[in-house]
Amino acid sequence: MYQPSHLASLVPTMQSFIESATQNLDTPNEDIIFSNLSLRLATDLIGDAAFGVNFGLSKPHSVCESMKSANNVNGGGGSGCGSGGDEVSDFINQHIYSTTQLKMDLSSSFSIILGLLAPILQEPFRQILKRIPGTMDWKIKRTNRKLSGRLDEIVKKRMEEKNRTSKNFLSLILNARESRTVSENVFSPDYISVVTYEHLLARSATTSFTLSSIVYLVAGHPDVEKKLLYEIDGFGPHDLTPTAQDLHQSFPYLDQVIMRFYTVSPLVARETSNEVEIGGYLLPKVEVPLEAW
């Protein structure tokens, strides 16, 4: 899945999504929230690679063009993206809402804010607040439960398909499971749902944040912007799609600009499933209850 040859084959798909998303910028009388646009773009890209589904979020005049539909879903309203009401539409609306709530400011959940100041108190308060209706922790828990249910439906439906492709992550896992090359106990339905959604959530959020940070930082440095545009425009006509080799060799300055200057989150929410020693430090095994996820 992650061999360079396969990743190179995704370049035309990336290009088509990018061309569609940039049409949203042709609105001179409207403000564009670039972080929203980049999140929809990244979700479309990763969704195609992970699920083999085109969510259509980055299309101009999409039904999910604003975040209103996602907020309505959490509040009980809204019919979802696309055809409305099916498991994929509901899932992607819940995903967009969940992702946009991953904030580190005063609008985020109280347990996250408290975790920045006193990490030891974050989990106890989260366990309490998620039981109190109306709190952000409660909303996040409810959204995560809906996400889990919708994702299970998507996986179940894909498992029932007879003629799957092998070009997306979910189908590859299901094909491997059915070929008996791996144990069905390892690739259980729950595991498949979790690892597939991890691909979508982890990569769409970080890609979106990195793109938004780059645009923000470059906008504040006109000399960098001028040099960057000169390199990109010098590649060739605007309708020329670069190959994977071109991206690797023809844009050295762009490679220097694209870096994760800011991290997505100052918190590291990782716990070991087995005891491991790293650099002389022993990390004990931590038992994480299922409902904590």
Side-chain angles (χ1 to χ4, degrees):
M1 184 70 181
Y2 298 108
Q3 290 297 317
S5 58
H6 177 73
L7 295 178
S9 70
L10 297 178
V11 171
T13 302
M14 297 179 192
Q15 180 71 14
S16 66
F17 281 122
I18 291 170
E19 289 176 354
S20 177
T22 53
Q23 295 180 40
N24 288 283
L25 302 177
D26 296 330
T27 53
N29 297 323
E30 295 182 27
D31 290 334
I32 299 294
I33 302 177
F34 187 79
S35 59
N36 289 351
L37 177 61
S38 63
L39 175 59
R40 299 203 304 273
L41 170 61
T43 301
D44 273 347
L45 286 169
I46 307 303
D48 189 83
F51 293 96
V53 176
N54 183 351
F55 296 129
L57 298 177
S58 54
K59 291 181 179 179
H61 310 298
S62 163
V63 289
C64 289
E65 187 168 336
S66 71
M67 289 298 157
K68 291 181 181 179
S69 61
N71 289 328
N72 286 339
V73 167
N74 190 66
S79 59
C81 307
S83 59
D86 64 18
E87 65 273 8
V88 173
S89 301
D90 287 340
F91 166 74
I92 201 60
N93 269 339
Q94 297 292 343
H95 164 70
I96 291 291
Y97 178 83
S98 177
T99 305
T100 54
Q101 297 310 304
L102 296 175
K103 301 176 181 179
M104 305 309 298
D105 56 23
L106 294 179
S107 66
S108 66
S109 70
F110 179 74
S111 65
I112 291 180
I113 299 173
L114 185 62
L116 295 173
L117 304 175
I120 195 173
L121 298 178
Q122 180 178 6
E123 185 58 23
F125 270 81
R126 189 178 73 86
Q127 293 296 329
I128 295 173
L129 291 172
K130 73 180 185 180
R131 291 170 169 80
I132 302 176
T135 64
M136 185 59 70
D137 290 271
W138 176 80
K139 291 179 181 178
I140 292 175
K141 179 188 176 184
R142 187 174 67 166
T143 300
N144 288 341
R145 187 187 301 119
K146 291 180 179 178
L147 269 174
S148 178
R150 293 292 180 260
L151 187 54
D152 289 343
E153 292 172 11
I154 294 174
V155 171
K156 181 180 179 181
K157 187 174 182 179
R158 187 64 60 84
M159 290 177 71
E160 295 171 351
E161 293 179 0
K162 300 301 181 183
N163 300 314
R164 301 187 208 102
T165 68
S166 59
K167 296 182 178 180
N168 62 78
F169 187 78
L170 176 56
S171 293
L172 282 172
I173 287 183
L174 293 175
N175 290 343
R177 182 176 186 265
E178 293 174 2
S179 68
R180 308 290 181 175
T181 57
V182 296
S183 170
E184 291 188 5
N185 293 330
V186 175
F187 280 173
S188 65
D190 285 344
Y191 175 82
I192 293 173
S193 296
V194 170
V195 77
T196 306
Y197 184 54
E198 182 184 41
H199 270 64
L200 180 64
L201 177 61
R203 285 150 183 79
S204 60
T206 53
T207 300
S208 169
F209 184 84
T210 301
L211 286 173
S212 300
S213 299
I214 291 168
V215 171
Y216 172 76
L217 292 169
V218 170
H221 297 80
D223 54 327
V224 173
E225 180 181 3
K226 182 178 179 180
K227 186 175 180 179
L228 185 60
L229 293 176
Y230 179 80
E231 180 181 82
I232 295 173
D233 291 340
F235 172 70
H238 286 179
D239 59 352
L240 177 62
T241 301
T243 64
Q245 186 175 0
D246 291 330
L247 294 173
H248 183 65
Q249 297 179 351
S250 301
F251 301 94
Y253 191 65
L254 179 61
D255 277 342
Q256 297 173 39
V257 171
I258 298 180
M259 60 177 293
R260 193 168 296 171
F261 194 82
Y262 296 117
T263 59
V264 178
S265 169
L267 301 179
V268 180
R270 298 284 185 179
E271 293 181 314
T272 54
S273 57
N274 288 296
E275 185 177 284
V276 61
E277 184 175 337
I278 301 177
Y281 292 92
L282 183 64
L283 303 180
K285 176 181 178 179
V286 177
E287 296 290 348
V288 182
L290 184 59
E291 71 170 28
W293 297 100

